[in-house]
């Protein structure tokens, strides 16, 4: 599938499994270095190159790439952090193939360079850059030199994309066999630039044996289960979403309801305060709008099992009334989405939710709402979303430029297609609507959250700068046409 994301430890297992399967380490390194050289040849015209090698196998890749570029007539200078004699294993083997001078790692090696190849640290980074490594990274930035990073930009932590101390901004990063979280989570993703994934001959069966639990979000993950309308279908077979409408912030539920319809829900009902029924009805002819003056009226709407998916939160106003409606929805066998004001209504009191939630429910907090409900959990966004999903029993979609979807069973997907234009009022309401619309059609919680997040990103890219939330549902038909064409 190649959308799996391997942790640094899993990548090490893959390397070892490949060697156990008869692919020697030097062959892996030779192929890695060749992929680096090929990427440089493809992207840049011949120019003086400064190859910066670290003391481990990342440096080994650099030695191989330097040798291959020099063979193609590129002027190459190579600088090493540490001594050649200190190199071990595959890196020592790679260095033996470099017969030109090995310079000390100092900023002077950058003089006249048109390209820098950063082979200082990769999977073995274990602490913030310091000393000569930090100095030369700073100088590369000051000189704004084009940079090709080997595996990851040095200083970026493979498992979460965090920057330890400092790290250069790469134009291109060549990584091997499978991408790591650092290539999709921020800030790592931004520092990597374009990521080239190179096959270094690790047998595919190796990944199956590792059975990774993290993917980059995309149609290959859930497309086979996308609920396309069937010829024999009708609106009642495409589910019925119930959206709780607010009395004041009516736009949120209207955006969500429209998005749910665009996502393909057969019917959408907005449960509205009586005084707002006309407003909702006028703005959404295809939605059913029913008055729900109190909790009992809302529960009466919930009691109809055809209303199989429920969205609560957007524009509902935090407090006891919303909490009561949420618990009423959870008391019935429904799927649904909890968003926005729900997290304030249950701030610090996850227990009542966790007792009733299951994995056909999706929570869609942004960072602030996440902390309000789950507290300041440690670790990366992947770690935190996973911990929250495990704690509450529902799928947790932690919104951001690198939205993470996590299932209570440990699966997680990172979404990388969201443009910054999506950071606008109402965008989250549309996302919640997309997800409840997909749930209504029978997608499971993890698939619906992943597909919703991806469609949301694609709609955002389709509209682009100047985007307002109202544009997003309208952009969906074109996105779905492309999704269907590519299926
Ligand atoms: N067969 C394989 O495993 C392949 C690996 N590939 C490349 O190898 C690197 C991983 O190499 P490794 O030796 O494990 O670590 P690094 O080269 O990333 O780090 C070297 C070494 O540096 C020390 N160190 C860590 N952090 C710092 C720091 N901040 N300052 C100074 N020194 C530091 C630590 O001791 C590390 O061990 C992987 O990224 C690939 O590029 C091949 O490409 C494929 C086969
Ligand atoms: K590197």
């Amino acid at each position: 599938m190649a959308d799996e994301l391997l942790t640094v430890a899993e990548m090490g297992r893959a390397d070892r499994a490949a060697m156990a399967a008869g692919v020697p380490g030097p062959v892996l390194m030779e192929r890695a270095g060749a992929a680096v050289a090929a990427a440089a040849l493809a992207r840049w015209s011949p120019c003086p190159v400064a190859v910066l090698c670290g003391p481990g196998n990342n440096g080994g890749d650099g030695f191989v790439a330097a040798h291959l570029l020099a063979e193609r007539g590129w002027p190459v200078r190579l600088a090493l952090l540490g001594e050649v004699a200190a190199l071990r294993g595959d890196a020592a083997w790679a260095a033996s193939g470099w017969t030109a001078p090995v310079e000390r790692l100092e900023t002077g090696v950058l003089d006249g360079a048109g390209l820098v190849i950063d082979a200082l640290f990769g999977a073995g980074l274990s602490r913030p850059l310091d000393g000569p490594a930090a100095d030369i990274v700073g100088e590369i930035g000051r000189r704004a030199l084009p940079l090709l990073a080997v595996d990851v930009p040095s200083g970026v932590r493979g498992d979460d994309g965090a920057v330890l101390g400092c790290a250069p901004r790469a134009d291109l990063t060549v990584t091997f066999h499978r991408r790591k979280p650092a290539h999709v989570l921020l800030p790592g993703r931004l520092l990597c630039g374009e990521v080239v994934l190179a096959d270094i001959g690790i047998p595919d069966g190796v990944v199956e044996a590792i059975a990774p639990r993290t993917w980059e979000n995309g149609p290959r993950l859930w497309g086979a289960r996308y609920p396309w309308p069937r010829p024999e279908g009708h609106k009642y077979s495409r589910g019925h979403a119930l959206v709780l409408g607010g009395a004041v912030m009516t736009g949120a539920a209207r955006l969500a309801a429209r998005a749910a319809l665009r996502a393909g829900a057969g019917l959408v009902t907005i449960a509205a305060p009586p005084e707002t029924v006309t407003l909702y009805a006028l703005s959404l002819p295809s939605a059913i709008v029913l008055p729900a003056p109190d909790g009992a009226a809302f529960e009466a709407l919930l009691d109809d099992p055809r209303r199989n998916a429920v969205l609560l939160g957007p524009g509902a106003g935090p407090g006891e009334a919303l909490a009561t409606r949420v618990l009423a929805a959870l008391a019935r066998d429904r799927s649904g989405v909890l968003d926005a004001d729900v997290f304030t209504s249950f701030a610090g009191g996850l227990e009542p939710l966790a007792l009733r939630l299951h994995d056909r429910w999706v929570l869609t907090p942004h960072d602030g709402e996440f902390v309000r409900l789950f507290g300041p959990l440690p670790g990366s966004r992947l770690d935190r979303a996973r911990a929250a999903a495990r704690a509450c029993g529902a799928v947790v979609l932690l919104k951001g430029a690198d939205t993470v979807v996590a299932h209570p069973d440990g699966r997680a997907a990172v979404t990388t297609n969201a443009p910054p234009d999506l950071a606008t009022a109402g965008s989250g309401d549309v996302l919640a609507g997309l997800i409840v619309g997909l749930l209504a059609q029978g997608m499971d919680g993890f698939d619906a959250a992943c597909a919703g997040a991806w469609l949301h990103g694609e709609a955002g890219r389709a509209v682009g700068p100047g985007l307002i939330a109202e544009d997003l549902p309208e952009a969906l038909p074109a996105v779905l046409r492309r999704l269907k064409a590519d299926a």
Side-chain angles (χ1 to χ4, degrees):
M1 165 129 69
D3 287 338
E4 299 96 341
L5 301 174
L6 294 187
T7 62
V8 166
E10 288 170 338
M11 186 62 207
R13 285 173 54 195
D15 285 330
R16 287 189 297 278
M19 288 183 252
V23 185
V27 169
L28 290 173
M29 186 163 285
E30 179 67 33
R31 289 172 180 163
V36 171
L41 290 162
R43 176 74 173 257
W44 284 278
S45 308
C47 65
V49 185
V51 181
L52 313 180
C53 294
N57 286 340
N58 197 247
D61 295 347
F63 273 99
V64 173
H67 173 71
L68 292 170
L69 289 172
E71 272 195 330
R72 299 290 292 264
W74 288 40
V76 179
R77 292 175 67 178
L78 185 147
L80 173 64
L81 177 65
E83 302 304 323
V84 175
L87 294 173
R88 293 285 171 271
D90 298 345
W93 164 82
S96 67
W98 175 256
T99 52
V102 175
E103 301 178 50
R104 293 174 55 77
L105 189 72
E106 288 164 345
T107 54
V109 76
L110 302 175
D111 295 348
L115 172 65
V116 177
I117 293 181
D118 162 18
L120 289 169
F121 304 108
L125 182 78
S126 59
R127 58 185 187 279
L129 297 193
D130 59 8
D135 295 345
I136 204 159
V137 164
E139 187 61 23
I140 290 166
R142 277 186 290 280
R143 300 190 192 187
L145 290 171
L147 186 132
L148 188 167
V150 177
D151 205 10
V152 284
S154 299
V156 171
R157 188 162 54 193
D159 281 351
D160 63 5
V163 172
L164 300 191
C166 61
R169 181 179 293 276
D171 299 272
L172 181 70
T173 294
V174 179
T175 190
F176 315 108
H177 188 52
R178 290 297 187 274
R179 272 166 297 172
K180 288 60 182 195
H183 298 114
V184 294
L185 289 174
L186 300 186
R189 185 201 321 158
L190 301 179
L191 292 170
C192 284
E194 179 190 346
V195 177
V196 169
L197 179 59
D199 177 357
I200 55 172
I202 294 178
D204 256 346
V206 166
V207 172
E208 277 66 47
I210 290 171
R213 311 285 282 149
T214 316
W215 294 267
E216 180 178 6
N217 184 12
R220 280 191 290 236
L221 205 52
W222 38 263
R225 297 179 295 280
Y226 194 82
W228 298 111
R230 294 190 304 275
E232 73 283 7
H234 47 77
K235 68 183 174 207
Y236 296 109
S237 63
R238 299 181 71 192
H240 189 156
L242 175 62
V243 178
L244 179 64
V248 177
M249 308 280 280
T250 62
R254 284 188 281 149
L255 285 165
R258 194 173 189 92
L261 285 162
R262 286 282 186 207
L267 300 114
V268 171
T269 293
I270 296 177
E275 70 276 15
T276 64
V277 165
T278 306
L279 178 149
Y280 280 109
L282 283 175
S283 71
L284 265 177
S286 50
I288 302 162
V289 182
L290 294 174
D294 53 30
F298 181 68
E299 292 201 37
L301 296 179
L302 270 177
D303 282 339
D304 181 342
R306 290 170 301 179
R307 294 191 182 99
N308 60 325
V310 193
L311 168 58
L312 301 107
E320 198 50 42
L322 177 55
T324 306
R325 286 163 175 73
V326 167
L327 295 177
L330 293 177
R332 290 160 173 81
D333 179 21
R334 301 287 185 273
S335 60
V337 178
L338 301 180
D339 185 30
D341 294 329
V342 170
F343 306 116
T344 309
S345 305
F346 287 89
L350 181 61
E351 197 57 32
L353 287 178
L355 284 174
R356 297 167 175 84
L357 281 170
H358 49 73
D359 67 1
R360 286 184 294 121
W361 281 85
V362 179
L363 276 57
T364 58
H366 56 54
D367 283 316
E369 292 164 338
F370 181 93
V371 172
R372 219 169 292 155
L373 184 62
F374 296 104
L377 298 178
S380 72
R381 290 167 58 79
L382 267 172
D383 299 330
R384 284 185 279 127
R386 277 183 161 123
R390 203 170 37 251
C392 75
V395 172
V396 172
L397 182 152
L398 177 55
K399 289 190 286 196
D402 48 355
T403 289
V404 174
V405 176
H407 188 281
D409 69 9
R411 285 175 289 155
V414 182
T415 305
T416 57
N417 67 339
D421 314 285
L422 282 174
T424 181
S427 175
D429 302 320
V430 172
L431 173 62
L434 292 174
I435 296 170
V436 77
L438 294 169
L439 289 170
Q441 298 172 83
M443 271 195 132
D444 74 27
F446 188 69
D447 282 349
C450 288
W454 186 84
L455 290 171
H456 190 243
E458 288 302 298
R461 292 159 76 99
V463 179
L467 174 154
I468 59 174
E470 289 87 326
D471 300 329
L472 293 170
E474 307 326 297
L476 217 62
V479 169
L480 290 172
R481 274 197 298 277
R482 274 202 309 280
L483 177 65
K484 188 161 197 160
D486 297 346

